[in-house]
Amino acid sequence: MGDDGGAAVIALLLGSALALPLYAQRSGRTCGNCHVSPTLEDPDGWENPELMERKCTMTCLSCHVDPTGGGLRNASGRYFGGSTLGMVGSRERSYSDVDRDLLTPGVIWTWRVKLSNPPKGEVDGRTVPSDRAEVEAGVGQGQTGNTYAMGRHRKTTDMAFWDGRYGSLAADPVVQVGGDVRFAWYSGTGAFFPMQLDLHGAVHPVHHLTVAATAAGRQTGPTGPSSPVYMRRAYAMLHELPGMSWARAGAFQPAFGTLLDDHTAAVRTLFEMDGSKSVNTVTGVEVGTAPNYPFASVSVFANDASWAGSDPDTGWGAAAQAGWRDLAWSLTGHAMVRRRQRLGQGDLLAAGIGWGLSPRQTWEGVPVTWLGEVSAGRRDVGDRTSYPAAAMSELSFLLRNGIVLKSRSDVWTEDLASIQQRHGLALQVTPLPGITLEATGRMLVTPKGTLRPDALLQTHLWF
């Protein structure tokens, strides 16, 4: 980079793969974004199960192995990425979205055939199960064409994902791998650099137990001698429990606030939720539940996760979140405390609220999604006390399938003495599943009213 200032700017831009609330809020209006409907083959369809037996949820664990977001995608998340995100999909697109295709049906079909990974041989009879009895009778078996998953369980449970409901994907594999790689160019330094290098893996040897980890390239300098790789997450988890509940222990990032794909947002950086910093990984236990629309989680942790290669810190902490994520709207509350005997980053007490709105649930002609958050807290470092606060508002407009226009405004203060603002506009294009391109232009407004423009170009490769 040529100077420490440039390196600091790049470090600020680094982030991790996320299960974005934007995706959940935008897609809640149709089940076809996440799985194949059994009514395609069964006129009687799906019996609406009791609340505690429903697998459908608007929270992060609907698409990711990590229940609070980020990292390895499960069968539902892979199906969503293949059916919904791209201009061209590898899975059947929901009927509610086909009228927003930019390319012709012929072109889309040609590329879908090239991208799809169908099972070997012919599958006799029905391929989409409607209930567990049909799963145990063999309906859906053989639909296991996922390149990044191996093995399958002979028997299933009510809360496990079922083969056949996700096209040719292995719904509940024994071993899964995945990855997220980002490259970026930042106008502030004129540098092209690797923004993210993550490799994910999970082993699911028996029902209700998964061991998962993410090895991440260290992008910020450690406080002491360390390897260039650390474990962003490494935990054992009990799951597939009633009400989409879970309990895990190990290294993870506590749940607080709104997950964004831009970790320069003040609602993330001011409250130690910047996913690029290994010091923000903690060691602890977490329990949570997400039965359909309500959700809640609580974690207690030690700030030190140096055993996983993270930068060491001291003391303890706790985080909690709860709320309601409905098809067209969401409202959440979150809180966190960190106590480090005034060492390291000091003591932190913070809380906030977040929300989302998707009018497309009611009006198909309004493909707009709004996310917002307001968070504030108190930080004590030595004899110095500060009061960080931040607000974020993001609007997302789906121009066409795979083409999204986003605008975001951030307002924040670190000490109540000065207020800064940043307003930006981004164009995001996903031509094919696994490839996302984004161009962002932003304007920083300093406390003195000075305007400082910058731009960021990035490529996200994911599988």
Side-chain angles (χ1 to χ4, degrees):
M1 292 303 304
D3 58 56
D4 292 339
V9 171
I10 286 182
L12 184 63
L13 291 171
L14 302 168
S16 65
L18 301 174
L20 302 179
L22 167 65
Y23 292 158
Q25 196 69 80
R26 194 174 79 193
S27 304
R29 70 190 209 289
T30 168
C31 297
N33 288 299
C34 300
H35 59 78
V36 179
S37 171
T39 57
L40 290 173
E41 299 177 347
D42 181 2
D44 295 330
W46 180 260
E47 293 184 6
N48 196 20
E50 296 296 327
L51 176 63
M52 299 305 287
E53 296 179 356
R54 296 179 188 174
K55 290 193 281 278
C56 293
T57 176
M58 303 298 292
T59 57
C60 305
L61 77 167
S62 63
C63 285
H64 287 257
V65 174
D66 188 328
T68 56
L72 186 64
R73 297 154 183 85
N74 57 29
S76 180
R78 293 187 190 279
Y79 189 90
F80 174 81
S83 68
T84 303
L85 287 184
M87 297 174 64
V88 173
S90 58
R91 305 286 159 189
E92 182 175 356
R93 197 184 301 281
S94 169
Y95 68 89
S96 298
D97 290 332
V98 294
D99 63 339
R100 300 199 71 82
D101 281 333
L102 178 65
L103 304 176
T104 65
V107 171
I108 292 175
W109 176 257
T110 298
W111 275 98
R112 181 182 165 194
V113 172
K114 293 178 182 294
L115 295 169
S116 64
N117 188 14
K120 297 180 180 179
E122 295 294 331
V123 178
D124 296 330
R126 289 179 51 204
T127 61
V128 186
S130 295
D131 52 40
R132 182 177 172 183
E134 292 187 350
V135 174
E136 294 177 341
V139 176
Q141 292 183 15
Q143 304 295 302
T144 53
N146 185 1
T147 304
Y148 308 106
M150 296 164 283
R152 63 181 301 273
H153 298 282
R154 291 186 177 182
K155 295 184 179 181
T156 189
T157 69
D158 284 332
M159 302 307 295
F161 291 150
W162 297 339
D163 279 348
R165 296 301 303 276
Y166 307 92
S168 63
L169 296 177
D172 195 29
V174 176
V175 178
Q176 294 186 81
V177 296
D180 286 274
V181 178
R182 294 179 193 259
F183 294 96
W185 175 83
Y186 178 59
S187 67
T189 59
F192 176 80
F193 58 95
M195 193 173 182
Q196 176 188 4
L197 298 170
D198 282 4
L199 180 64
H200 321 295
V203 179
H204 181 43
V206 296
H207 282 301
H208 307 295
L209 174 65
T210 288
V211 178
T214 293
R218 187 185 299 277
Q219 305 285 358
T220 57
T223 57
S226 183
S227 71
V229 177
Y230 75 100
M231 303 307 292
R232 196 186 300 280
R233 55 176 66 81
Y235 58 84
M237 178 173 65
L238 296 175
H239 62 121
E240 299 176 334
L241 305 176
M244 294 294 282
S245 302
W246 75 90
R248 63 173 168 172
F252 54 88
Q253 189 173 34
F256 179 92
T258 306
L259 290 174
L260 298 168
D261 51 0
D262 178 5
H263 272 250
T264 66
V267 291
R268 310 302 290 167
T269 60
L270 290 186
F271 304 104
E272 302 180 32
M273 297 305 298
D274 181 349
S276 72
K277 294 183 177 179
S278 56
V279 71
N280 291 338
T281 296
V282 301
T283 299
V285 295
E286 178 185 76
V287 295
T289 186
N292 216 189
Y293 300 144
F295 72 95
S297 69
V298 177
S299 60
V300 179
F301 49 84
N303 291 298
D304 188 353
S306 56
W307 64 270
S310 173
D311 295 342
D313 205 342
T314 59
W316 62 274
Q321 65 170 2
W324 189 281
R325 291 188 175 126
D326 214 302
L327 299 178
W329 61 274
S330 63
L331 183 63
T332 70
H334 47 269
M336 181 167 58
V337 57
R338 292 188 186 234
R339 288 290 180 260
R340 286 166 288 208
Q341 296 80 45
R342 296 177 180 269
L343 299 175
Q345 298 183 77
D347 295 343
L348 174 68
L349 178 64
I353 59 171
W355 62 87
L357 181 65
S358 180
R360 195 179 180 193
Q361 169 67 22
T362 303
W363 301 291
E364 278 288 337
V366 188
V368 175
T369 304
W370 178 37
L371 297 179
E373 179 185 336
V374 175
S375 294
R378 168 175 170 156
R379 185 184 297 277
D380 295 295
V381 182
D383 295 328
R384 182 176 182 273
T385 297
S386 60
Y387 298 91
M392 177 276 298
S393 177
E394 179 181 276
L395 283 173
S396 171
F397 183 76
L398 182 64
L399 298 175
R400 285 292 185 268
N401 292 327
I403 306 176
V404 179
L405 182 65
K406 297 192 297 183
S407 69
R408 198 181 77 236
S409 294
D410 299 288
V411 180
W412 72 95
T413 177
E414 298 186 43
D415 52 14
L416 297 182
S418 60
I419 297 177
Q420 299 189 76
Q421 304 176 48
R422 176 177 282 145
H423 308 281
L425 191 66
L427 180 65
Q428 184 183 82
V429 179
T430 304
L432 302 173
I435 303 175
T436 299
L437 311 173
E438 184 168 317
T440 304
R442 304 180 300 185
M443 181 67 71
L444 173 68
V445 184
T446 69
K448 295 182 179 181
T450 303
L451 302 181
R452 295 179 181 175
D454 65 11
L456 178 68
L457 304 178
Q458 61 176 303
T459 299
H460 181 198
L461 308 176
W462 44 273
F463 64 93

